[in-house]
Amino acid sequence: MQKIKDYVSANTDRFLAELFELLRFPSVSADPKYKEDVIKTAAFVAQKLQDAGADQVEVCETAGYPIVYGEKLIDPKLPTVLVYGHYDVQPADPLELWDTPPFEPTVRDGKIYARGAADDKGQFYMHVKAFEYMMSEQELPCNIKFMIEGEEEVGSSNLGTFVKENKERLSADVIVISDTAMISLEQPSIETGLRGLSYVEVEVTGPNRDLHSGVYGGAVANPATILSKMIASLHDENNHIAIPGFYDDVIELSDAERKALNEAPFDVEEYKADLGINEIWGEAGYSSIERAGTRPTLEVNGLWGGYIGEGAKTVLPSKAFAKISMRLVPNQNSTRITELFQSHFEGIAPKYVKVKVTPHHGGEPVVTPTDSIAYKAAEKALHETFGKMPIPTRGGGSIPIVALFEKELGIKTVLLGFGLDSDNLHSPNEKYGIDNYLKGIETIPLFHKYFTELSK
Ligand code: BES
Ligand code: MN
Ligand code: MN
């Protein structure tokens, strides 16, 4: 323990400098403009894995962005840990809301501000540096494999094929992912579930062209108004989702499970103040913790149509659009939910408009075990670095590959996340605490050590 602490202190400046280098690559997978940068990022990650001592390092081509693979196999009799992460990031816009440029990492108040700082560059890179330590100090207790992808933020559409074609290469006893949050540095926690996702785009068409809103307004249905009404009808007065069948497959938590989850510290006043909201909102009968972790949701992610430029243009738009996501919980299925949404949404369309629903990527929900060796090892490692026993929580976000790994490889995951919910993921001014980063690097070798010991 002291040895890794000393190693981290002696190398802090370099660990930060390398992460900053990684953060300077604008590896936005959603925007083709950054294609070259995304590819360069993969090469950088591969180089760093190689430098840290990995063998068989390969930038594996896919139909989309490459997957970086590397491994260190020391003994087939020892357990194998597969580390998964993603080097791609979300788009940085709206740029004007950043206090410092998203791809020029800047430290303020002990936090690194940059797109990808917490999601997921700062987090997966902890594993690369922990690996460097274990290699250079002869402390690697087990076999280790790395698989760092470049399309997580756009739905990992080529990862499934890669996993299916590389089952042997990816075989492992556990998958460890640092791409989630903990409660705080004072109260470590481990996410034990992730929500699934069903994501659709809807298009509502009224008249065959944009119209003068004075000449035709009042006599022709406005698709923007219709779309707003349709969207508003998707929640009832208790904020339940009003799509027939939506909750059919939801497994309700037991009273004991609900009680345990609600024991996590949560200060509603702090929550409201942090977000600048006057009141919290959500499904009747559930706490905020439950609403954001264990309940399915439906959210509008984008809504547009008509004139949205400077000044006022009087127009009755021909079309209105929305991007809608539904977060899913066990045992909902994303394909089924997408179908339910589609038939419901088409069904509620009034005859004044035409409706088109286009499905985007999806992913299945997961619950990760708390009685596994890997969970126990994570608990023990976090306890040692943070001086406090971590508590289990449920994450509201989605990492669709977790369910896929389980299905294709039969391997369970442990979510060893060191971020905070307040890190502004996908928002302007994304950040990651330097302490989170360094503590993570300290904790990871302990995880490998305890996982190996407990596996015996
Ligand atoms: N790292 C996040 C997911 C996450 C964040 C899980 C916080 C738990 C806590 C991941 O990069 C992400 O953003 N996933 C997307 C889904 C993907 C299919 C685009 C998400 O959750 O929206
Ligand atoms: Mn992520
Ligand atoms: Mn993300």
Side-chain angles (χ1 to χ4, degrees):
M1 173 72 171
Q2 197 49 48
K3 195 170 159 197
I4 171 76
K5 271 190 191 295
D6 292 344
Y7 190 88
V8 172
S9 318
N11 291 285
T12 297
D13 290 349
R14 180 172 57 84
F15 286 178
L16 287 170
E18 290 178 16
L19 174 58
F20 284 20
E21 222 182 313
L22 174 60
L23 290 168
R24 282 192 197 98
F25 289 95
S27 52
V28 181
S29 49
D31 187 344
K33 183 169 94 205
Y34 295 103
K35 188 166 179 213
E36 289 308 309
D37 299 292
V38 182
I39 291 166
K40 280 186 199 149
T41 315
F44 177 89
V45 173
Q47 186 62 53
K48 290 298 173 192
L49 275 176
Q50 181 109 42
D51 294 348
D55 298 329
Q56 315 293 335
V57 175
E58 190 185 331
V59 176
C60 311
E61 295 307 325
T62 72
Y65 285 123
I67 293 164
V68 182
Y69 180 83
E71 64 183 30
K72 188 74 201 179
L73 306 181
I74 53 174
D75 183 345
K77 291 192 288 298
L78 287 168
T80 303
V81 174
L82 173 62
V83 177
Y84 164 86
H86 63 94
Y87 64 82
D88 65 319
V89 300
Q90 285 275 324
D93 26 335
L95 283 177
E96 64 281 10
L97 296 183
W98 284 77
D99 295 329
T100 47
F103 298 107
E104 286 172 29
T106 312
V107 174
R108 285 193 300 280
D109 269 348
K111 301 195 169 52
I112 306 157
Y113 284 83
R115 171 56 85 229
D119 186 10
D120 176 40
K121 288 173 171 172
Q123 294 217 61
F124 88 73
Y125 204 66
M126 299 180 309
H127 286 269
V128 181
K129 293 299 97 177
F131 174 61
E132 172 199 302
Y133 161 78
M134 293 188 283
M135 288 300 289
S136 74
E137 302 299 305
Q138 280 84 47
E139 294 275 345
L140 183 67
C142 58
N143 304 306
I144 188 166
K145 297 177 175 179
F146 289 89
M147 174 180 162
I148 314 296
E149 72 148 320
E151 296 187 303
E152 197 277 341
E153 299 292 9
V154 287
S156 305
S157 38
N158 296 295
L159 193 58
T161 312
F162 182 79
V163 169
K164 286 190 191 94
E165 287 172 357
N166 288 272
K167 285 193 177 172
E168 195 50 43
R169 175 148 67 155
L170 299 174
S171 67
D173 297 284
V174 68
I175 294 161
V176 56
I177 304 179
S178 295
D179 192 24
T180 52
M182 53 166 44
I183 293 172
S184 68
L185 290 173
E186 292 71 44
Q187 177 58 68
S189 60
I190 303 174
E191 291 190 11
T192 60
L194 291 165
R195 289 194 284 194
L197 186 68
S198 157
Y199 200 112
V200 296
E201 185 159 336
V202 301
E203 180 187 296
V204 172
T205 307
N208 60 7
R209 57 190 189 277
D210 283 3
L211 304 174
H212 188 291
S213 65
V215 176
Y216 290 96
V220 175
N222 184 320
T225 310
I226 302 284
L227 175 58
S228 308
K229 284 195 181 186
M230 289 171 71
I231 288 173
S233 76
L234 296 175
H235 288 96
D236 71 13
E237 64 285 2
N238 289 315
N239 299 324
H240 292 302
I241 294 153
I243 298 174
F246 187 84
Y247 293 96
D248 282 2
D249 298 326
V250 172
I251 301 176
E252 295 289 338
L253 270 63
S254 69
D255 289 345
E257 284 174 302
R258 293 183 67 179
K259 188 165 172 288
L261 286 172
N262 284 308
E263 271 160 19
F266 178 78
D267 182 330
V268 71
E269 292 310 320
E270 230 173 75
Y271 189 76
K272 291 196 285 190
D274 176 47
L275 300 177
I277 54 174
N278 296 326
E279 201 41 86
I280 52 166
W281 178 95
E283 189 181 359
Y286 296 92
S287 68
S288 297
I289 288 180
E290 293 175 298
R291 288 167 177 170
T294 67
R295 297 296 296 163
T297 61
L298 182 149
E299 295 297 329
V300 178
N301 297 254
L303 180 61
W304 71 102
Y307 182 68
I308 51 168
E310 287 288 314
K313 177 189 179 193
T314 48
V315 62
L316 192 165
S318 162
K319 287 176 189 290
F321 306 84
K323 290 185 194 274
I324 294 174
S325 68
M326 288 156 280
R327 296 281 169 174
L328 313 177
V329 302
N331 265 344
Q332 288 175 300
N333 170 276
S334 69
T335 312
R336 163 117 183 94
I337 292 293
T338 302
E339 284 164 7
L340 283 180
F341 177 90
Q342 177 150 14
S343 59
H344 177 71
F345 208 71
E346 286 168 358
I348 60 172
K351 57 180 179 302
Y352 325 112
V353 294
K354 292 183 216 51
V355 168
K356 193 166 112 198
V357 176
T358 312
H360 284 282
H361 54 245
E364 305 313 328
V366 278
V367 169
T368 60
T370 51
D371 57 358
S372 64
I373 290 171
Y375 188 84
K376 299 266 182 283
E379 248 181 358
K380 215 162 141 82
L382 287 163
H383 185 203
E384 195 162 329
T385 15
F386 290 87
K388 202 163 175 186
M389 204 58 177
I391 58 175
T393 60
R394 288 289 193 94
S398 308
I399 309 178
I401 194 62
V402 178
L404 200 125
F405 278 142
E406 201 174 316
K407 183 167 156 248
E408 294 298 334
L409 302 173
I411 316 174
K412 302 265 190 206
T413 294
V414 60
L415 297 164
L416 191 58
F418 293 89
L420 301 177
D421 278 345
S422 54
D423 280 338
N424 295 330
L425 311 186
H426 299 198
S427 281
N429 303 310
E430 178 177 347
K431 60 179 184 284
Y432 191 42
I434 292 178
D435 285 346
N436 300 61
Y437 179 59
L438 299 177
K439 286 256 191 203
I441 300 173
E442 270 177 38
T443 307
I444 291 163
L446 292 171
F447 169 78
H448 287 82
K449 178 172 159 233
Y450 293 134
F451 181 67
T452 309
E453 284 178 13
L454 293 170
S455 298
K456 276 178 194 148

